C-alpha cells in the first residue's frame, strides 16, 4: 500500500513569509508525528497527534509553529513569519500503534 | 531531558572491514530503534530492541541493547558499498506517547 507522503517535497520562501507543509499518513494510522532535521543532525521531535488532537506539542520551538489534523488523517504544519533558522527538512511519521513509526520523504524548507 | 549520544559521527572505511556504532544515554527507554536514512529520503527502520541484553541480527548487521536499556550498538561485518548511508539510533518512551529521541547520526562511507 501507499506509504506516508509529504508535499511539497521542496519549498523555497523568503524570510517573513508564511508556509504550510502537508503530511498524508498511511491509511488507518491513528498516531502522527512531526520532526525537524537540520543538516548533519538527527531528527528532533516537534508534535504528536493521537487522532485529531495534539497529544504532545512540547517540541514546537515557538508560537510561530502550529499544526493541525482536523479529521484525524492529513496533517498540516504551519510556520508563520519564517526565519532563516527554520530552514531544515521537516519529516512526518505515522503509526497504527505507537511503536514502529513509518516516515515520509520529508519536505526540504529553505528560507532565504 | 532525554538525550542520546551517538558515535562516531563520521566513519569512512574500506569494503570488507568491520565497524561498530555506539548509542549511549543516561535515560532508560522503552525501546531503542535503529534507522538508516538515504539522501532525500526519510529514515527507514532497521530494527527495534526492547529487552535489556537483547541481541538481534539482520544479515551482516548485529544490534545489541544494553542490560540497563540505556545504550545500544550496531555492528556491521564485512561492510559493503551498499551500506553507505546515515545510521540513526532513536529511543522511544511509551509513557510519552512513543515520540522518538534521536541521536546525531553516524554518516558511514564504505569505499570500494
Amino acid at each position: 500500500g501507499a506509504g506516508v507522503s509529504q508535499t511539497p517535497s521542496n519549498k523555497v520562501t523568503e524570510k517573513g513569509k508564511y508556509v504550510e507543509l502537508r503530511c498524508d499518513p498511511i491509511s488507518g494510522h491513528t498516531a502522527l508525528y512531526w520532526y525537524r532535521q537540520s543538516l548533519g543532525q538527527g531528527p528532533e521531535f516537534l508534535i504528536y497527534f493521537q487522532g485529531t488532537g495534539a497529544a504532545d506539542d512540547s517540541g514546537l520551538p515557538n508560537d510561530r509553529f502550529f499544526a493541525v489534523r482536523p479529521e484525524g488523517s492529513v496533517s498540516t504544519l504551519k510556520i508563520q513569519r519564517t526565519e532563516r533558522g527554520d530552514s531544515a527538512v521537516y519529516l512526518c511519521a505515522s503509526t497504527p500503534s505507537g511503536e514502529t513509526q513509518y516516515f515520509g520523504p520529508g519536505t526540504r524548507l529553505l528560507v532565504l | 531531558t532525554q538525550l542520546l549520544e551517538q558515535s562516531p559521527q563520521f566513519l569512512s572505511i574500506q569494503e570488507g572491514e568491520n565497524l561498530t556504532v555506539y548509542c549511549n544515554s543516561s535515560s532508560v527507554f522503552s525501546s531503542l530503534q535503529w534507522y538508516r536514512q538515504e539522501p532525500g529520503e526519510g529514515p527507514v527502520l532497521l530494527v527495534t530492541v526492547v529487552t535489556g541484553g537483547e541481541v538481534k541480527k539482520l544479515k551482516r548487521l548485529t544490534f545489541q541493547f544494553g542490560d540497563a536499556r540505556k545504550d545500544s550498538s550496531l555492528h556491521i561485518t564485512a561492510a559493503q558499498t551498499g551500506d553507505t548511508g546515515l545510521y540513526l539510533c532513536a529511543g522511544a518512551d511509551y509513557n510519552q506517547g512513543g515520540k522518538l529521541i534521536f541521536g546525531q547520526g553516524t554518516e558511514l562511507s564504505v569505499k570500494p
Side-chain angles (χ1 to χ4, degrees):
Chain A
V4 177
S5 62
Q6 293 186 246
T7 54
S9 54
N10 293 280
K11 176 70 177 178
V12 181
T13 191
E14 294 179 342
K15 180 174 178 293
K17 298 289 187 183
Y18 168 82
V19 296
E20 289 189 352
L21 312 179
R22 177 187 167 109
C23 172
D24 281 84
I26 295 172
S27 178
H29 283 195
T30 56
L32 184 148
Y33 302 79
W34 283 98
Y35 296 85
R36 178 168 73 172
Q37 186 174 23
S38 299
L39 193 63
Q41 300 294 317
E44 293 180 300
F45 170 77
L46 295 176
I47 186 170
Y48 149 58
F49 287 90
Q50 184 62 251
T52 60
D56 182 352
D57 64 358
S58 62
L60 295 177
N62 51 59
D63 60 7
R64 295 187 297 104
F65 288 74
F66 189 71
V68 296
R69 195 186 186 200
E71 297 179 356
S73 178
V74 170
S75 177
T76 305
L77 179 64
K78 308 180 181 192
I79 310 174
Q80 298 178 320
R81 304 183 304 281
T82 51
E83 298 177 357
R84 292 194 180 88
D86 298 335
S87 297
V89 176
Y90 289 82
L91 294 164
C92 174
S94 70
T95 176
S97 61
E99 294 190 10
T100 300
Q101 295 185 22
Y102 299 87
F103 283 83
T107 292
R108 278 140 201 83
L109 176 65
L110 177 60
V111 181
L112 300 175
Chain B
T1 302
Q2 293 177 306
L3 292 173
L4 272 173
E5 293 192 6
Q6 195 172 333
S7 63
Q9 190 173 354
F10 299 97
L11 193 53
S12 181
I13 62 172
Q14 295 296 129
E15 197 169 29
E17 292 183 355
N18 302 331
L19 66 115
T20 302
V21 178
Y22 299 93
C23 186
N24 297 298
S25 174
S26 58
S27 303
V28 175
F29 290 99
S30 304
S31 70
L32 201 139
Q33 302 171 18
W34 285 91
Y35 290 82
R36 180 175 162 193
Q37 186 176 21
E38 301 280 0
E41 298 179 8
V44 175
L45 181 68
L46 295 174
V47 78
T48 299
V49 284
V50 178
T51 306
E54 184 175 4
V55 177
K56 282 192 174 179
K57 293 193 174 186
L58 187 65
K59 296 184 181 179
R60 294 175 294 101
L61 278 60
T62 302
F63 304 86
Q64 284 191 288
F65 200 14
D67 291 341
R69 289 167 41 222
K70 293 182 180 180
D71 54 84
S72 181
S73 64
L74 157 61
H75 182 79
I76 301 180
T77 303
Q80 300 176 356
T81 55
D83 295 330
T84 293
L86 178 67
Y87 290 82
L88 294 158
C89 65
D93 184 347
Y94 299 141
N95 293 324
Q96 295 191 48
K99 70 181 182 186
L100 297 175
I101 307 297
F102 281 88
Q104 307 97 311
T106 295
E107 189 71 56
L108 172 65
S109 174
V110 182
K111 301 185 185 306

